Amino acid sequence: MPLAAVLASLLALTLSPVATFAAPGVLPYVHGTSTEPVYSYQNAIRESVWVQTPNDSDKDGKPDRVRVDIVRPREAASTGVKVPVILEASPYYSCCGRGNESQLKGYAADGTVNAMPLYYDNYFVPRGYAFAAVDLSGTNKSQGCPDVGGPAEVGSAKAVVDWLNGRALGFNADGSPAKATWTTGKTGMIGKSWDGSIANGVAATGVPGLETIVPISSISSWYDYQRFGGVLRAPGYVTYLGGLVNGRAQGVCEPQIDAAQAASDDSTGNYNAYWAARDYRSTVNKVHASVFVVHGINDLNVTTSQFGRWWQDLAARGVPRKIWISQQGHVDPFDIRRTQWVDTLHQWFDYWLQGLHNGVMSQPMASIERPSGEWTTASTWPAIGAVDKPVFLGDGDGTTGTLGGFPSGAVRTFTDDPNLLEGAAVANPNQPLASRAVFLSGKLTQPLRISGIPSVTLRVKVNKPTTELTARLVDYGAQHRVDYLSDGSGIHTLATKSCYGESTATDSACYLDTAVDYTDSNVDVLTRGWKDAAHSVSLKTVTPLQPNRWYTVTVPMDAYDTVVQPGHSLGLVVVGSDTDSTSPTTTGATVQVSLAGSYLLLPSIGNLPFVRTAPQIGTTTLKAQALRRPERNGDFR
C-alpha cells in the first residue's frame, strides 16, 4: 500500500475512534441499509464559504454573495469519501433562532461557526453527511437584501445547490476560490416555516442535484400566506417580515424592502407580478425532487391551504412524496414525536441521498394524528374514498339552519360585525345572533371522516361594494382533544432533555423534551376560509358588488383531516369580518344568503344524517385565545 494511503488510514483512525473499515466498494459509514455514526463530530471540518448568486438584490452593482456554514466529516475528506449534503437555508440564524429553544448560530474567535441550531449536524455528520446552513440573502452574514420568499432568497439557496454541483462560484474568506470537491452533489433541503418555504421554492426551479426536500409548516404561495382570498392578513406585512430578518447595515436594504411593500399592493389585495414571483405552485411542473411534507392540521400561522394545494399539485405530477399531519399548530415534529421523527427522517435521507434501499418508500405514505393524540397511517392522502359531496343548507327553524337536508328556498340575513371574535361566533349555535348564519347537521350516528379541502359556495346579495366572508366548519361535541390553542400551539416544554447525535463544548446535541397539551371541550373549530367578495370574479382585480344583485361567491377553506365522532354535530358558521386572523376592510355590510344557491362542498367518507330541524346543542365554550396573526403573538417561525 502506498505510504500516503497508510498515513491517511492512520489519520482516520486517530480522529475517529469509532470508525470502522468497510469491505471494498462499501462506504465506511453504511451498515446494511442504514448509515451509522462512525465519524467524529468533535473533529469535523467546520468552514465557511461565500457563494455567488445571480442576483443583485441590494442594488450595489455586484452579484450578491451568501454565506454558507458547513460541518462535514474530516475522516471522509481525508480518505477521499464524498458525502451528500443536508441543507437548511434560513433568515433566522441571527434574528430569531431556530427550534423550540430559539437557537442561533455561534462563532469561534476566528469567525468559524462552532454552534449550529438544531440537531441535523450533530446527528447526521457522524453518519456520513455534510450539513450546510445558508444565511439567506440580506440576513445574518450574507450580502444582498431579504425579499420575503422572492427571487433573491430562492436564488441564493439555489446558487448553493449549484455550487455543490460545480455550477456556481464559491469563495473563501480571503477571496480565494472554494470548490465543493468533497461532496457527491446530492442535496436534501429541510426547514420549518420560512426555511421550508425556500425549500419549496428551490424545488420549483427544478435545479439539478436537489434530490429531496422536507418542508415543515411551510409556504407554497406567499400570496395565500399574506392574503386570504383578497383579504389582507395584516397591513405592511412585507415591511414587517423584511425588517425582522434584515441583517444589513442601516440604509442598505430599507429602500428595497419599501419598494417590495409597495409592489405587494395592500390597497387592493390583488394577486399581481410581485405575488406571482412568490407562487411556487405556478412552477410545480419543474419539481423533480421527492417531497416529505410535514404540517400541523391546526396551524394558524402557515395555514393548511399551503400544504393542501401544494400536495395536490405534486400528486397530479406523480412526484414521490410522504406526509405527516399532526394535530398541533406551528410546531416542529421533533417536538411532537421526537424518536419516531428522527428515525423516519434518517431513513428518508438515507434513501434519497445515500441510495440505500431501506424500504421507506414502501411504508404508508401518510401518518396522521387524530384529535385524541393517536397516530394512524394510510396509503395516501387525502383518504381513499373521500369524495367531494355537496351538503345543502336548510332553513331549519329560521334561527339555526340545517346541514344534510333538502336545499331550501329561504334567504338568511346577517350584518358584518368586526367585533365578533371566533369564540362568540361559534358559541351556542341555537341562539339568534344578527351577525352570523349557523347551519347544523343532525347528530352523527356513525363516524364521519373529513379528508381534503372543503369549500363553501354562497349565493349572496350585499348592500355595500364588498364585504369579507368568513366560513368556519365546527365540530360540536364533547371530546378530549389536543389543545392547539395553548400557548405552545399544542405542546409545552419540560425540564428534562434527550440527546440526538454527538455534542461538543459549544454545540450540544441535547434538547429540552416536550409534551402534548390536551383539553376537554365541547366545541372545536376544524377549518376556516375567507374571501373578499369583490375578488369573487378574480384575485387579480377588484370587481365592486352592485346593490340588489345576486352574486355567487366561493369561499375556499383550509385543508383538513379528522374523524367527527358519533353523537357530535357538524356546524357551518358564516360571518363577515374576522379580526382574529385577518385585517379586513370592514364595511358593516348586510349580507343576504340565498340558501337555494348555497352549499358546503365536503370531502368526506360517510354521510351527514338527513334533518329538517337542527338539533339543540346547548351551551358551548371555546377557549379564550389571543389574536392569531403571527406578528401579534410572535408565532412566525
Side-chain angles (χ1 to χ4, degrees):
M1 177 183 290
L3 178 60
V6 173
L7 292 175
S9 299
L10 291 174
L11 178 62
L13 288 172
T14 300
L15 293 176
S16 178
V18 295
T20 58
F21 290 102
V26 177
L27 293 170
Y29 52 81
V30 172
H31 183 265
T33 58
S34 178
T35 57
E36 301 295 334
V38 302
Y39 293 143
S40 168
Y41 179 72
Q42 174 73 40
N43 292 314
I45 295 171
R46 292 168 172 81
E47 59 187 344
S48 301
V49 173
W50 281 259
V51 171
Q52 185 165 296
T53 82
N55 305 298
D56 177 18
S57 59
D58 55 10
K59 309 300 182 186
D60 66 354
K62 299 178 293 184
D64 303 336
R65 293 183 181 181
V66 294
R67 172 149 168 164
V68 187
D69 291 312
I70 300 167
V71 183
R72 55 189 176 94
R74 188 178 300 274
E75 302 91 333
S78 300
T79 56
V81 174
K82 295 186 176 184
V83 296
V85 179
I86 298 170
L87 187 155
E88 184 178 46
S90 177
Y92 292 136
Y93 285 133
S94 64
C95 79
C96 313
R98 306 309 302 123
N100 189 45
E101 299 174 46
S102 299
Q103 294 180 309
L104 304 172
K105 283 184 179 179
Y107 303 93
D110 64 358
T112 303
V113 68
N114 63 7
M116 291 282 203
L118 305 178
Y119 61 95
Y120 303 134
D121 53 326
N122 309 78
Y123 185 85
F124 283 104
V125 169
R127 288 171 165 80
Y129 291 84
F131 177 70
V134 182
D135 296 337
L136 287 178
S137 58
T139 70
N140 199 19
K141 297 180 181 296
S142 284
Q143 298 174 1
C145 290
D147 66 349
V148 190
E153 292 175 3
V154 172
S156 65
K158 175 182 178 295
V160 177
V161 178
D162 282 328
W163 174 71
L164 292 168
N165 285 274
R167 298 187 300 266
L169 298 176
F171 301 90
N172 297 308
D174 61 5
S176 60
K179 296 184 181 295
T181 57
W182 45 266
T183 177
T184 62
K186 289 188 174 183
T187 304
M189 293 187 69
I190 190 171
K192 179 192 168 196
S193 200
W194 200 323
D195 310 0
S197 308
I198 298 301
N200 283 339
V202 175
T205 70
V207 59
L210 183 62
E211 303 298 326
T212 191
I213 62 171
V214 184
I216 302 167
S217 303
S218 299
I219 295 165
S220 59
S221 166
W222 285 80
Y223 179 86
D224 289 345
Y225 178 68
Q226 295 179 38
R227 305 280 190 270
F228 291 146
V231 181
L232 291 183
R233 189 166 197 180
Y237 216 175
V238 175
T239 299
Y240 166 72
L241 290 173
L244 179 72
V245 301
N246 182 15
R248 303 299 302 279
Q250 182 71 29
V252 173
C253 289
E254 283 77 6
Q256 318 309 328
I257 295 172
D258 290 345
Q261 176 63 63
S264 72
D265 190 14
D266 277 358
S267 63
T268 67
N270 287 348
Y271 180 98
N272 57 22
Y274 174 88
W275 298 109
R278 293 158 176 79
D279 184 353
Y280 312 140
R281 298 198 294 262
S282 67
T283 54
V284 69
N285 62 305
K286 295 182 180 180
V287 175
H288 63 75
S290 63
V291 183
F292 189 171
V293 170
V294 183
H295 217 104
I297 203 67
N298 294 303
D299 193 335
L300 302 179
N301 177 354
V302 179
T303 57
T304 57
S305 66
Q306 297 290 345
F307 89 79
R309 296 176 190 174
W310 180 239
W311 181 266
Q312 281 185 336
D313 292 343
L314 295 170
R317 294 195 61 253
V319 172
R321 62 203 184 280
K322 188 175 181 67
I323 190 167
W324 273 28
I325 300 173
S326 74
Q327 281 290 316
Q328 283 72 20
H330 202 60
V331 178
D332 194 294
F334 185 73
D335 298 312
I336 300 171
R337 202 184 182 197
R338 187 165 291 182
T339 298
Q340 296 94 326
W341 169 245
V342 175
D343 287 347
T344 303
L345 187 65
H346 182 189
Q347 292 178 60
W348 185 262
F349 281 143
D350 274 2
Y351 182 89
W352 288 104
L353 300 182
Q354 302 281 4
L356 300 180
H357 296 286
N358 52 23
V360 70
M361 296 305 292
S362 300
Q363 298 170 8
M365 180 185 291
S367 189
I368 303 167
E369 186 180 18
R370 292 287 167 239
S372 62
E374 177 189 3
W375 284 84
T376 62
T377 60
S379 60
T380 188
W381 189 87
I384 293 175
V387 178
D388 289 338
K389 300 174 182 177
V391 180
F392 298 110
L393 312 184
D395 194 38
D397 61 7
T399 295
T400 305
T402 58
L403 285 176
F406 288 123
S408 169
V411 173
R412 302 295 295 277
T413 301
F414 64 87
T415 300
D416 179 30
D417 177 4
N419 296 314
L420 180 68
L421 299 182
E422 181 169 280
V426 304
N428 308 321
N430 298 108
Q431 296 180 7
L433 194 60
S435 50
R436 71 180 182 187
V438 180
F439 306 89
L440 293 176
S441 78
K443 293 191 176 182
L444 273 62
T445 58
Q446 58 184 2
L448 176 72
R449 172 77 180 273
I450 299 172
S451 185
I453 304 177
S455 66
V456 179
T457 295
L458 300 171
R459 186 71 173 162
V460 298
K461 184 189 291 185
V462 184
N463 69 341
K464 300 285 185 180
T466 190
T467 186
E468 178 179 358
L469 294 170
T470 302
R472 297 180 175 94
L473 199 60
V474 186
D475 178 357
Y476 290 102
Q479 190 170 344
H480 186 66
R481 297 178 168 99
V482 173
D483 185 11
Y484 70 89
L485 293 174
S486 72
D487 290 341
S489 296
I491 63 165
H492 61 276
T493 304
L494 305 175
T496 58
K497 289 188 175 184
S498 53
C499 305
Y500 290 82
E502 299 179 22
S503 300
T504 68
T506 57
D507 194 325
S508 174
C510 302
Y511 302 86
L512 291 169
D513 294 317
T514 61
V516 175
D517 294 326
Y518 290 95
T519 188
D520 293 303
S521 65
N522 56 10
V523 58
D524 185 36
V525 179
L526 303 178
T527 182
R528 304 159 179 85
W530 306 264
K531 189 66 171 247
D532 171 44
H535 281 91
S536 60
V537 175
S538 171
L539 292 175
K540 295 181 179 180
T541 58
V542 173
T543 306
L545 306 184
Q546 300 299 316
N548 301 314
R549 179 177 171 184
W550 289 100
Y551 293 86
T552 298
V553 180
T554 295
V555 182
M557 304 184 81
D558 285 325
Y560 210 75
D561 196 288
T562 195
V563 177
V564 184
Q565 295 299 318
H568 291 207
S569 290
L570 191 66
L572 174 66
V573 180
V574 180
V575 303
S577 302
D578 175 14
T579 51
D580 281 296
S581 299
T582 74
S583 296
T585 304
T586 303
T587 64
T590 295
V591 181
Q592 298 179 65
V593 180
S594 171
L595 303 190
S598 303
Y599 58 91
L600 165 69
L601 195 64
L602 188 66
S604 57
I605 303 173
N607 297 306
L608 293 173
F610 178 87
V611 286
R612 295 185 183 275
T613 303
Q616 292 295 312
I617 297 300
T619 301
T620 62
T621 303
L622 187 68
K623 179 178 180 177
Q625 54 199 284
L627 293 181
R628 295 188 297 267
R629 295 197 295 277
E631 83 285 359
R632 297 204 175 194
N633 59 22
D635 186 26
F636 47 78
R637 294 177 290 111

